[in-house]
Amino acid sequence: MPLPAPDLDDRRFQDLVDEAKRLVMRRCPEWTDHNVSDPGITLIETFAHMTEQLLYRLNQVPDRLHITFLNLIGLRILPPTPAHVPVTFWLSSPARARLTIAAGTRAGTLRTATAESVVFTTREDLAVVPCSLARIRTVLEPESEGGQAGAGTEAGRPDETADRSRLLSDGRPFPVFRRRPEIGDALLIGLTDPVPGCVVRLGFRGRVEGVGVNPKHPPLIWEAWTGDGWTECEAGLDETGGLNTSGAIVLHVPATHRASVVDGDRAGWIRARVTEPEEGQPPYTDSPVVDGMTVCTVGGTVEAVHAEPVGLEELGQAEGVPGQQFPLRHSPVLAGYGPPVVETGSPDGWLEWTEVEHFADSRPKDRHFSLDAVSGLVLFGPAVRETDGSLRHYGAVPEKGAEVRIRGYATGGGARGNVATGSVCRLKSSVPSVSAVENRRPAQGGVDGETLDEAKDRGPLLVRTRSRAVTAEDYEILTREAAPEIARVRCVPTGQDPAEAGGVRVLVVPAAAMQDGRILFENLVPPEPTLRRIAERLDRARVVGTRVMLEPPLYRGVTVVARLVARPRVNVERMREDALEALHRYLNPLPGGGPEGAGWPFGRPVQAGEIFGRLQQVPGVELVEDVRLFTADPVTGVRGKEARRIDLDANSLVFSYEHQVRVEAH
């Protein structure tokens, strides 16, 4: 795509004339006639015209030549990418009829005096399906009851289940599991209809005999049948503490929930299954007892994107000539939103055109187009004159007078869309029966577009790689092109083990939401679709015999324990929060962290001395009394020994883990 070429001198004719008039008034105040009829003004305009011609020639070199060369080699500025987040819509009352929340529904963050609202838009229709309890089944006591073989509580287990629906309707209590619950015992709940992507509330009325489990860590998970097996449901609320007492349970059902048949009963099945208790937690010793249960739908969850989608845009009429360009009304066009569709009118209807990166492989009859995402141009294939004087068409040419339109693109996006959990709390579209909206996970994937300076730095590397991955930098460049939504990438050779010779590791850091510099560790795992897209691109570019391993970096948890002295009349608690934020932002693997603001460098050690200096820069700090460094495991939380210096491997990054700061008044 054409890069924006800078002007060395951006003055034009009128600017030169105005500047000359200002100099006249300053240095020759007796000259008062500045009308165009004055001979002196005529001379000024003549020289301004000549000077403008000189500036035009000046602007052709040298930066403009640099940009022109980058255009010739096909360098493209990477456009911004949008952040994605699942958004949950809560109903004002349980659903009684099917409700469809249309694609394009908008929800955003709270608008403040200093920040505009970040708006997200749903990409698909969300069907909120009403449901109620149809069937309920429990595992049989093998020695006491008979029954028919049903869906096993685990794959391959021939456990038998019994229908308890009659007992429930008659108000007679029954045990949820066996008298002595075992791992794998399950309570099967059949809904009247499958509820893909919906939020279901279970009203449980019951009790537990004897000693129950720890209500904060019950050995119990909820699952839904998705056609290929049982998939875990996210429990947003469990007032029962693992069926210990009466209360409500709110389940977020997967979008792949399907109906199935269990012992002749067709329903949308979900289940509660006993699992291995966590270390130090008690198991079920007695089965909870069900006295009553109700089920209803109270909301739904759908994917939303930080973008302004454009449904259908008319571009104009084709002139029937090669290389025609059509500007879009909105730019830049977001990467990672989905492929836009260009259509041209014909007597047989609308013809769909396919987007290509370039026209080098396009044949004269191929309906191909290229999209300049940053400047917003739709390009059709050119024609090149051959040595024999004939014209060779690279791609088909739309017929003269044909209407051209585009659909399915979006604008907006950027890193500001990576908002924290609970930030999307304002409904921007009017939706009947919806009372609230929230994001239960942080938004991820938003990356700002590439700047011109960044593109110029990437130009020489593009010339060297030519879409072939040989060196570590080649792999990093091609990974960036394949997945512009990632935050960072690093390529390192494999270890010294001879079995790993001839391989490289590509370390991918996704764009994750930050709040006061804090990041959730689970958000640093790259999404599977992104890794697949990168793998496909690198597989085409790698040297034959080279093994490429895609994985996240090895994160080394670092805990800082510091003691500070505040200046007089400084708010101690505020200074403590500022110090914690400074540590989280400094020891941060994402862009914005690290000594230079590009993220903590791979393999760079952490030393106590630089932490002293960073804390001393916090407003209100009089003295940094003590700084101690500890390694920590971000997964288990186990803290290591104190160290003055923490070394990192070449494939490692730091991760801030539970810093502790004590502030003493002066």
Side-chain angles (χ1 to χ4, degrees):
M1 72 183 187
L3 302 179
D7 288 336
L8 301 181
D9 192 330
D10 61 355
R11 291 179 297 175
R12 297 293 183 263
F13 171 80
Q14 192 60 46
D15 300 322
L16 296 169
V17 172
D18 294 341
E19 184 177 350
K21 288 181 179 180
R22 286 193 296 270
L23 291 174
V24 166
M25 289 186 290
R26 185 184 309 165
R27 299 183 179 181
C28 189
E30 59 272 14
W31 185 356
T32 58
D33 188 1
H34 297 159
N35 295 316
V36 293
S37 58
D38 185 81
I41 297 299
T42 302
L43 289 175
I44 288 177
E45 292 180 342
T46 301
F47 284 109
H49 178 73
M50 297 171 62
T51 304
E52 186 182 31
Q53 300 303 315
L54 293 175
L55 294 180
Y56 172 78
R57 294 181 177 275
L58 176 67
N59 285 333
Q60 309 309 304
V61 293
D63 284 347
R64 293 184 65 90
L65 287 180
H66 189 186
I67 300 301
T68 302
F69 290 145
L70 295 180
N71 281 322
L72 288 176
I73 65 175
L75 179 70
R76 297 196 171 204
I77 292 183
L78 301 178
T81 59
H84 298 259
V85 65
V87 174
T88 301
F89 295 88
W90 296 98
L91 303 182
S92 55
S93 60
R96 298 181 178 275
R98 185 184 182 93
L99 171 66
T100 299
I101 300 177
T105 301
R106 303 165 74 243
T109 61
L110 181 65
R111 179 182 178 182
T112 64
T114 58
E116 291 291 330
S117 175
V118 180
V119 179
F120 289 79
T121 306
T122 61
R123 298 197 60 180
E124 299 176 348
D125 291 345
L126 171 63
V128 181
V129 182
C131 70
S132 59
L133 183 63
R135 293 289 178 182
I136 186 166
R137 305 184 71 89
T138 64
V139 179
L140 291 172
E141 293 284 353
E143 71 280 359
S144 60
E145 297 185 65
Q148 298 176 340
T153 55
E154 288 184 22
R157 286 189 58 178
D159 293 45
E160 297 178 331
T161 61
D163 189 358
R164 308 298 188 184
S165 306
R166 177 63 63 86
L167 296 178
L168 185 68
S169 60
D170 293 344
R172 290 182 289 170
F174 58 90
V176 176
F177 309 120
R178 291 189 176 100
R179 190 176 299 107
R180 291 290 182 263
E182 301 178 4
I183 296 175
D185 284 1
L187 170 69
L188 279 76
I189 300 174
L191 309 181
T192 52
D193 291 292
V195 286
C198 293
V199 183
V200 173
R201 184 175 65 199
L202 280 67
F204 176 79
R205 185 164 52 86
R207 62 191 185 279
V208 64
E209 303 290 346
V211 180
V213 297
N214 185 347
K216 294 183 179 180
H217 302 280
L220 186 75
I221 63 171
W222 289 88
E223 298 172 319
W225 179 259
T226 56
D228 297 328
W230 293 96
T231 302
E232 185 174 353
C233 299
E234 184 180 357
L237 173 70
D238 186 0
E239 296 177 346
T240 68
L243 306 179
N244 267 354
T245 185
S246 299
I249 302 172
V250 176
L251 301 178
H252 295 260
V253 181
T256 53
H257 189 213
R258 298 289 182 269
S260 61
V261 177
V262 174
D263 291 341
D265 295 328
R266 185 184 184 278
W269 291 97
I270 60 177
R271 71 177 184 179
R273 180 168 62 87
V274 178
T275 61
E276 184 77 29
E278 299 179 10
E279 185 177 356
Q281 301 297 331
Y284 282 100
T285 56
D286 291 286
S287 173
V289 176
V290 180
D291 290 327
M293 181 176 292
T294 60
V295 181
C296 62
T297 304
V298 295
T301 301
V302 68
E303 187 82 9
V305 62
H306 175 221
E308 290 290 338
V310 179
L312 183 65
E313 181 178 323
E314 300 288 343
L315 300 180
Q317 291 186 346
E319 298 176 357
V321 296
Q324 189 172 1
Q325 304 178 2
F326 292 91
L328 303 179
R329 296 193 185 98
H330 310 279
S331 64
V333 177
L334 291 181
Y337 181 80
V341 178
V342 170
E343 298 174 324
T344 57
S346 72
D348 298 328
W350 291 98
L351 301 177
E352 188 172 312
W353 294 62
T354 303
E355 182 183 6
V356 294
E357 184 178 355
H358 52 74
F359 297 103
D361 301 324
S362 300
R363 294 170 296 184
K365 298 298 184 181
D366 293 338
R367 290 199 297 269
H368 290 170
F369 77 96
S370 181
L371 178 64
D372 180 347
V374 174
S375 58
L377 287 175
V378 174
L379 315 172
F380 288 99
V384 178
R385 189 170 297 280
E386 302 288 342
T387 55
D388 59 358
S390 62
L391 283 178
R392 179 180 176 182
H393 290 266
Y394 289 86
V397 178
E399 295 183 2
K400 183 177 181 179
E403 295 290 337
V404 182
R405 68 184 188 183
I406 186 173
R407 56 183 171 85
Y409 79 92
T411 186
R416 66 188 299 261
N418 296 328
V419 298
T421 301
S423 299
V424 182
C425 56
R426 291 291 185 271
L427 194 62
K428 301 292 184 177
S429 302
S430 178
V431 183
S433 303
V434 174
S435 60
V437 63
E438 69 169 337
N439 63 310
R440 306 186 67 255
R441 298 177 184 172
Q444 290 183 287
V447 177
D448 292 330
E450 190 177 37
T451 65
L452 179 59
D453 289 337
E454 292 170 342
K456 289 166 65 177
D457 293 339
R458 190 165 53 88
L461 300 175
L462 178 63
V463 174
R464 190 179 67 189
T465 61
R466 302 309 299 167
S467 299
R468 286 292 178 266
V470 180
T471 67
E473 286 184 335
D474 298 342
Y475 283 96
E476 294 172 4
I477 294 169
L478 296 175
T479 299
R480 278 283 190 189
E481 292 179 354
E485 70 270 19
I486 63 176
R488 298 177 66 188
V489 60
R490 177 69 178 269
C491 179
V492 296
T494 52
Q496 302 299 324
D497 189 347
E500 296 183 347
V504 295
R505 297 182 186 275
V506 179
L507 311 175
V508 178
V509 181
M514 284 193 296
Q515 187 172 20
D516 299 330
R518 293 169 171 83
I519 311 169
L520 295 178
F521 185 69
E522 55 267 26
N523 293 338
L524 293 176
V525 178
E528 284 297 328
T530 299
L531 293 180
R532 284 197 299 269
R533 191 164 68 251
I534 296 173
E536 293 173 359
R537 180 68 180 92
L538 296 183
D539 187 59
R540 297 194 304 267
R542 66 182 176 88
V543 177
V544 175
T546 302
R547 292 181 296 106
V548 181
M549 285 160 279
L550 285 174
E551 58 189 20
L554 176 64
Y555 290 99
R556 189 73 176 272
V558 175
T559 299
V560 176
V561 179
R563 184 159 54 92
L564 312 179
V565 177
R567 293 176 181 174
R569 297 183 297 278
V570 170
N571 188 317
V572 172
E573 186 58 32
R574 175 63 182 273
M575 197 184 86
R576 177 180 174 276
E577 292 297 327
D578 291 345
L580 288 172
E581 181 177 348
L583 290 174
H584 280 93
R585 291 191 181 279
Y586 186 67
L587 300 173
N588 194 314
L590 298 182
E596 298 179 358
W600 192 266
F602 282 87
R604 188 182 192 275
V606 182
Q607 304 184 73
E610 58 187 343
I611 304 300
F612 268 99
R614 186 65 190 91
L615 290 175
Q616 193 66 58
Q617 298 175 10
V618 176
V621 173
E622 176 73 19
L623 183 65
V624 180
E625 285 280 5
D626 187 29
V627 169
R628 301 183 183 185
L629 300 180
F630 297 88
T631 59
D633 188 329
V635 178
T636 63
V638 177
R639 181 183 296 181
K641 297 181 180 180
E642 179 184 353
R644 303 297 296 177
R645 171 190 171 112
I646 299 177
D647 293 313
L648 274 69
D649 296 332
N651 62 339
S652 298
L653 288 174
V654 299
F655 178 78
S656 291
Y657 185 79
E658 295 185 357
H659 300 309
Q660 300 177 19
V661 176
R662 177 183 175 186
V663 180
E664 299 175 354
H666 190 275

